[in-house]
Amino acid sequence: RQGIGEPSVYHAVVVIFLEFFAWGLLTTPMLTVLHQTFPQHTFLMNGLIHGVKGLLSFLSAPLIGALSDVWGRKSFLLLTVFFTCAPIPLMKISPWWYFAVISMSGVFAVTFSVIFAYVADITQEHERSTAYGLVSATFAASLVTSPAIGAYLSEAYGDTLVVVLASGVALLDIGFILLAVPESLPEEMRPVSWGAPISWEQADPFASLRKVGQDSTVLLICITVFLSYLPEAGQYSSFFLYLRQVIGFSSETVAAFIGVVGILSILAQTVVLGILMRSIGNKNTILLGLGFQILQLAWYGFGSQPWMMWAAGAVAAMSSITFPAISAMVSRNADPDQQGVVQGMITGIRGLCNGLGPALYGFVFYLFHVELNEMAEVETLGKASKPNMANPTDESSIIPGPPFLFGACSVLLSLLVALFIPEHNLTLRAGGHKKHSNGAQTHTHGPQAAGSEGKEPLLEDSSV
């Protein structure tokens, strides 16, 4: 094998950590460059940039996943990491090109899909949820440390050093994949030749969405995920910008906020989640997480003081238990060789939200006239207490963060839908699992995992 040692989860962990550590370093410089490049409609342009990237990722992920089943994981890890990190050095060269390349990089910005397939190749079914949890925790850990480091270096030495350092970390990640990461997909798992055809069913990004309506339980789960993750995806794209420019956080405070909430989220997803699952059950844990998310978003929406953001951030950490609890519900009740089918559908829904959420948030900020140029004018006058207001009688004086209230309403609907999800006795029907012509099994990155056989309901209540 090429690479160092046998393929392991630790190879995947290092790849994810380095990629998102590099991007985390840029948190502070990116806020500055974004405002300088789009001073008139900063939130709207931020939403559109992330929206285009998310939609392109949603459309390309199944095809890249199917191709990695044929050509192996390592080459596609290299491809996705390279194109995801390609915009980094452009931040100081040309901001316009930087944001344009970020949008277009969505075609290949699907590292997690390939990483999850890599992990699926090298783990047994009973080990997989733990391995995925390790990868997700590593992602959170990279974002706990890097924004604070980037903010400190930016303040002390300027943004140029931060961009150079982030570019160096990205190159280190690419070098690690080239030299140290072994191929995880065995030769016998691949089609006979590299010219093996990729069917449209495998590459169709909407295949998972079409299967959602074929079973009522799957439909309820997917609607819950869509309504709860849509505001979460929008929040990720704009919240740190909102803290910095509207609430008035300094770059160091934003970095500290990310670190504290990140650490609390890791604790919530490891210690607290396990306790809740054992004490109140899977479904009640999901409902509790959605309740915390509603409270968090409403607090963000009405909060206008820094202490309110810190308090809501602690609630946000608790709301992070929702998606692991949903994944655990499916994982525990699904047939072991069928989990990729439903998990792939949920992943497809989340990918769609990554495109729609940022665009929705940017548009709502635009509608309510929450703009950064108004903040700059107010600061110039020395009246920074309400920096987001264009007019004292504007709606923004009552609702500082309108998109967060829209998000709270969306999650409330998600909670009502989740009430109807059956908690027990869910089993996957056999025969819905698609294989390659040589018997190779598709993995969890594949919303395409169910082919024509998947017309049966994917989940059924075995008590019937």
Side-chain angles (χ1 to χ4, degrees):
R1 291 179 185 269
Q2 295 179 335
I4 298 175
E6 293 296 314
S8 69
V9 176
Y10 299 106
H11 288 102
V13 161
V14 172
V15 171
I16 286 295
F17 181 84
L18 290 176
E19 177 179 330
F20 288 98
F21 187 87
W23 276 106
L25 288 171
L26 296 179
T27 302
T28 296
M30 186 170 67
L31 300 182
T32 303
V33 172
L34 186 65
H35 180 34
Q36 291 174 349
T37 308
F38 306 107
Q40 296 302 314
H41 302 300
T42 310
F43 284 108
L44 179 63
M45 293 306 300
N46 180 61
L48 291 177
I49 290 165
H50 285 89
V52 170
K53 179 180 179 181
L55 288 173
L56 289 176
S57 297
F58 166 71
L59 294 172
S60 64
L63 177 60
I64 290 178
L67 290 173
S68 75
D69 279 337
V70 177
W71 295 338
R73 315 297 182 200
K74 179 170 180 171
S75 57
F76 282 92
L77 274 179
L78 187 63
L79 187 71
T80 56
V81 170
F82 175 82
F83 280 100
T84 301
C85 296
I88 291 176
L90 294 174
M91 177 180 282
K92 298 305 291 184
I93 299 171
S94 172
W96 279 96
W97 275 108
Y98 168 73
F99 290 114
V101 173
I102 282 182
S103 297
M104 294 301 103
S105 70
V107 174
F108 295 101
V110 289
T111 308
F112 264 107
S113 293
V114 185
I115 283 289
F116 281 168
Y118 189 97
V119 171
D121 292 337
I122 58 179
T123 56
Q124 301 297 321
E125 295 290 344
H126 66 279
E127 305 170 325
R128 201 159 294 164
S129 59
T130 302
Y132 286 167
L134 181 60
V135 172
S136 298
T138 301
F139 164 72
S142 70
L143 296 181
V144 166
T145 54
S146 54
I149 295 172
Y152 171 75
L153 293 175
S154 177
E155 182 71 21
Y157 303 103
D159 290 349
T160 301
L161 176 66
V162 180
V163 174
V164 170
L165 179 60
S167 301
V169 173
L171 287 174
L172 179 63
D173 198 9
I174 292 169
F176 178 79
I177 296 171
L178 275 172
L179 301 176
V181 175
E183 176 56 58
S184 65
L185 189 67
E187 288 288 344
E188 62 270 16
M189 293 287 284
R190 305 183 203 179
V192 177
S193 71
W194 275 34
I198 301 296
S199 69
W200 169 245
E201 286 74 20
Q202 288 174 281
D204 182 6
F206 298 98
S208 62
L209 302 184
R210 286 197 295 270
K211 296 182 181 69
V212 164
Q214 296 169 3
D215 181 88
S216 59
T217 303
V218 175
L219 181 62
L220 290 173
I221 291 174
C222 287
I223 291 175
T224 299
V225 171
F226 179 81
L227 291 175
S228 63
Y229 194 70
L230 184 68
E232 189 174 334
Q235 176 185 319
Y236 284 152
S237 71
S238 62
F239 186 59
F240 303 133
L241 182 66
Y242 179 79
L243 286 179
R244 174 86 181 275
Q245 305 292 1
V246 176
I247 301 300
F249 276 27
S250 67
S251 57
E252 293 82 4
T253 310
V254 170
F257 183 92
I258 295 171
V260 171
V261 174
I263 291 170
L264 292 175
S265 296
I266 293 172
L267 291 174
Q269 293 180 56
T270 52
V271 179
V272 178
L273 178 62
I275 294 172
L276 289 175
M277 294 279 275
R278 290 190 297 270
S279 58
I280 65 175
N282 210 154
K283 180 178 176 179
N284 289 332
T285 301
I286 294 172
L287 297 176
L288 183 63
L290 292 172
F292 276 119
Q293 190 178 359
I294 293 169
L295 177 60
Q296 162 220 332
L297 288 167
W299 211 336
Y300 283 157
F302 285 114
S304 58
Q305 301 298 322
W307 70 267
M308 297 179 181
M309 298 298 106
W310 284 99
V315 177
M318 282 300 301
S319 73
S320 67
I321 65 176
T322 303
F323 188 75
I326 290 175
S327 296
M329 172 180 278
V330 174
S331 177
R332 289 182 176 186
N333 294 289
D335 194 49
D337 65 349
Q338 294 286 299
Q339 294 194 29
V341 180
V342 179
Q343 296 283 9
M345 288 185 180
I346 295 173
T347 302
I349 297 292
R350 281 167 63 94
L352 187 60
C353 291
N354 281 330
L356 297 177
L360 175 64
Y361 265 50
F363 182 64
V364 175
F365 272 127
Y366 174 73
L367 286 180
F368 280 80
H369 309 292
V370 181
E371 290 296 340
L372 304 192
N373 56 315
E374 295 155 7
M375 180 219 61
E377 293 168 3
V378 174
E379 282 189 343
T380 303
L381 296 173
K383 301 175 182 178
S385 59
K386 289 288 182 181
N388 59 314
M389 290 172 53
N391 185 320
T393 60
D394 201 301
E395 300 96 324
S396 59
S397 62
I398 304 171
I399 308 175
F404 302 111
L405 292 185
F406 279 83
C409 294
S410 177
V411 180
L412 178 60
L413 292 176
S414 176
L415 178 66
L416 296 176
V417 172
L419 289 171
F420 295 95
I421 299 175
E423 182 172 10
H424 302 292
N425 301 321
L426 300 178
T427 57
L428 276 166
R429 290 186 176 181
H433 196 63
K434 185 178 178 65
K435 296 180 180 291
H436 285 301
S437 56
N438 71 331
Q441 180 174 306
T442 55
H443 298 289
T444 55
H445 67 276
Q448 70 277 10
S452 58
E453 304 96 329
K455 292 180 180 178
E456 293 181 309
L458 293 171
L459 293 170
E460 63 173 355
D461 192 332
S462 60
S463 63
V464 177

